[in-house]
Amino acid sequence: MLVLLLALPLPLRAAPPAGLDALLEALALDDLLAIMREEGIGHADELAAEMFPGRGGARWSAAVTQIYDGERMSGELRDSLAGSLAGADLTPLVDFFTSADGARIVSLELSARRALLDEAVKAASRERLEEMQADDDPRLDLIGRFVEVNNLIEANVAGALNANYAFYAGLADGRAFDFDMTEEQMLADVWSQEQEIREETRDWVLSYLTMAYAPLSDEVLESYVALSETPAGGALNAALFQGFDVSFTRISRELGLVAASFISGQDI
């Protein structure tokens, strides 16, 4: 079947929805991206140590820093959110996250995420989660509702699988392997990691949220769950996951391409 690609004028980019800038500021997304960038750079260092030990050095660090460019990541997320939330009424979201309770929630989420960069804190948060599970702490039921409403396990697992596939594709396109890796082989390898990723994701999400929301009353956390159950809350959650998926799929593919050059001994 012959497919013709016609040269059509590009559609005009839709204007961002009213209130988007105020929402992004209230959510402190640039601060969150800065933490996620630091997480990613740390992960890239682990990749280098595992895949080409002793051969990364300053060139790898420079390449990783360029791939995790903060302004680029922020622009990707903002553009994605502008498209995903086009036509949405952002007023209830802005009202919630600019309220005292909403601002405190954002601050606690950022503080916990930043704290988890420390391996000792991460281990302590896991231990605390295990204690709460052993004690059947009722707070876990409320946390569980929040996780379920926002689809946090499934969405994070899907994002991780997409990123892993993109990394493999980058490795393959960069000729990291001395054989031609097929798409079927890449998919099979990625899917073989699904259960491990799911277990790690569940543990990380629950330990993170129990630590982040520990200072909140049940009433405030209930209000956050209630917001997540609204059409506006659901739209925001889906838009955020889509935006992060776009950015981190791109990052993973570029990391794979650069890693391939170190594995094969090419110059970058």
Side-chain angles (χ1 to χ4, degrees):
M1 177 180 181
L2 181 62
V3 178
L4 298 178
L5 301 179
L6 303 180
L8 298 176
L10 293 175
L12 296 176
R13 180 178 292 178
L20 180 62
D21 288 337
L23 180 60
L24 296 182
E25 182 177 356
L27 291 172
L29 284 185
D30 282 340
D31 293 335
L32 175 59
L33 282 174
I35 298 170
M36 296 176 78
R37 179 177 180 272
E38 191 170 348
E39 292 171 348
I41 291 174
H43 176 61
D45 290 341
E46 294 173 3
L47 281 176
E50 178 181 342
M51 302 186 75
F52 42 93
R55 285 185 282 149
R59 290 190 306 135
W60 173 254
S61 296
V64 169
T65 299
Q66 184 175 9
I67 291 170
Y68 277 97
D69 180 76
E71 289 188 10
R72 186 179 182 187
M73 293 170 67
S74 180
E76 288 170 337
L77 182 56
R78 190 185 189 285
D79 287 347
S80 181
L81 289 174
S84 299
L85 296 174
D89 180 9
L90 303 184
T91 302
L93 298 171
V94 174
D95 288 346
F96 181 87
F97 288 109
T98 55
S99 70
D101 286 340
R104 188 173 185 225
I105 286 171
V106 171
S107 177
L108 289 171
E109 290 175 343
L110 288 173
S111 295
R113 187 88 182 230
R114 189 176 294 110
L116 288 175
L117 292 170
D118 186 322
E119 289 297 324
V121 174
K122 186 183 296 185
S125 71
R126 295 285 178 94
E127 290 177 6
R128 176 56 183 150
L129 173 62
E130 291 172 1
E131 291 173 359
M132 294 174 69
Q133 290 171 331
D135 295 338
D136 290 326
D137 193 314
R139 171 53 71 99
L140 290 178
D141 291 335
L142 190 49
I143 295 290
R145 281 180 53 206
F146 182 81
V147 169
E148 182 176 359
V149 167
N150 289 288
N151 197 33
L152 295 184
I153 305 301
E154 296 302 324
N156 274 295
V157 169
L161 292 173
N162 287 339
N164 285 359
Y165 178 81
F167 182 72
Y168 271 110
L171 287 175
D173 289 345
R175 301 296 181 184
F177 312 111
D178 55 5
F179 59 92
D180 290 330
M181 177 172 276
T182 66
E183 181 177 358
E184 289 76 14
Q185 287 173 316
M186 287 189 285
L187 286 172
D189 204 345
V190 168
W191 274 108
S192 71
Q193 305 166 31
E194 190 267 347
Q195 185 58 38
E196 180 181 358
I197 289 172
R198 181 175 299 278
E199 292 173 0
E200 290 180 354
T201 298
R202 182 180 295 107
D203 288 345
W204 189 92
V205 167
L206 291 176
S207 60
Y208 163 63
L209 293 180
T210 52
M211 181 171 71
Y213 300 153
L216 297 178
S217 67
D218 286 351
E219 290 74 19
V220 171
L221 190 49
E222 286 275 9
S223 70
Y224 199 13
V225 173
L227 176 74
S228 301
E229 292 173 331
T230 66
L236 174 61
N237 186 60
L240 285 171
F241 271 114
Q242 180 177 332
F244 286 128
D245 191 56
V246 167
S247 190
F248 283 97
T249 297
R250 185 270 302 170
I251 286 170
S252 296
R253 174 173 166 73
E254 292 181 3
L255 283 175
L257 283 168
V258 176
S261 68
F262 283 90
I263 293 170
S264 62
Q266 303 170 21
D267 292 330
I268 61 171

